[in-house]
Amino acid sequence: MTSLFYTLAGRKVNAVISLATSLPISAGVMVLVHQVALGRPFPLDASLERWVYLGASGILAFVISSYFMLTAYQDIGPRLTMLIASFAPVLGALLAWVFLGQALPTHAVLGITVVMVGIVSVVADRSPQQSLGVSVNMRRGVLFACLGTLAQSSAFVFSSLGVADGFPPFSATLIRLTAGMVTLWVVVALQGNIRLTLTIFQDDRRTLLLIVGAAVSGAVIAGSLLLLALQNVTVGVATTLSHTTAIMLIPMSYIVLGETITIRAVVGTLIAIVGIGILFI
């Protein structure tokens, strides 16, 4: 859902402005959720160690990975960028094995492999439509897509450390959002775009509503559920399941955007579903 909201909003504003606008909205909603769920608006009692882990996760996910991925979209287009990003589960599992000691059983490795085959099949099936703004800078585009994927996978590892020992996912989400939001707005200020970002939605309430939808469904709901998942499964499994977005988008893109569903996409989806089943044998 978040991808669709950002896609529709992206027809009017660029992704950096969308993200810089959505993060404060997400943080505001998260403060209310935190107050209702935990009886206080902000996790001031969190240890410095958790702030470091979760803050690093937020900056890696919301700022660094986003920057590299957005640049890759402009250089090589979304199809190839998503194709490279689909290898994040393997990278996440390797990082978790090295830094967290999370070993995967044989059936989980097999399941991750099968899911990845399905994801790659679906993503590679999408037509490589290049917008007028795409410059074919293959070397930089591939490099930045790889760096963005590395940053995103590293964010998973830091998040897993931050929510260890039962730390509330709502608190972890709010810390990640705060760190990402502050860092991103510092970047916006350094670029001299504060006024533009604050005023761009004055006469476009529909796009603002799309950004609000993305803020709630993405960083608030999906972000909290992801952190809850990291408390219960390994980074490799959580990363694998979180990267099935391309598959889940197939029926939603058909309904909302009118995209065609191909046989290859259906087969790739079935392969991924088999892989997910293997993961939980």
Side-chain angles (χ1 to χ4, degrees), residues 18-49:
S18 297
L19 189 61
T21 307
S22 68
L23 286 181
I25 296 172
S26 299
V29 173
M30 203 67 240
V31 166
L32 295 177
V33 172
H34 201 276
Q35 175 66 49
V36 172
L38 300 174
R40 59 189 188 282
F42 204 82
L44 295 175
D45 56 338
S47 66
L48 177 60
E49 184 179 35

Side-chain angles (χ1 to χ4, degrees), residues 241-265:
L241 295 178
S242 72
H243 278 78
T244 57
T245 302
I247 293 171
M248 295 184 182
L249 272 173
I250 292 175
M252 299 177 71
S253 296
Y254 172 76
I255 296 171
V256 178
L257 303 178
E259 293 186 356
T260 303
I261 299 177
T262 65
I263 296 297
R264 182 172 178 174

Side-chain angles (χ1 to χ4, degrees), residues 21-38 40-43 169-171 173-175 177-178 181 208-224:
T21 307
S22 68
L23 286 181
I25 296 172
S26 299
V29 173
M30 203 67 240
V31 166
L32 295 177
V33 172
H34 201 276
Q35 175 66 49
V36 172
L38 300 174
R40 59 189 188 282
F42 204 82
F170 287 153
S171 298
T173 299
L174 188 50
I175 292 174
L177 279 171
T178 302
M181 177 182 66
L208 179 59
L209 287 176
L210 290 171
I211 295 297
V212 171
V216 174
S217 66
V220 175
I221 299 177
S224 298

Side-chain angles (χ1 to χ4, degrees), residues 96-135:
W97 174 60
V98 173
F99 294 103
L100 304 180
Q102 291 184 354
L104 291 172
T106 303
H107 76 273
V109 175
L110 175 62
I112 290 173
T113 303
V114 174
V115 172
M116 283 186 56
V117 170
I119 293 173
V120 169
S121 299
V122 170
V123 174
D125 181 61
R126 296 187 173 191
S127 59
Q129 297 175 349
Q130 302 288 345
S131 66
L132 294 178
V134 172
S135 62

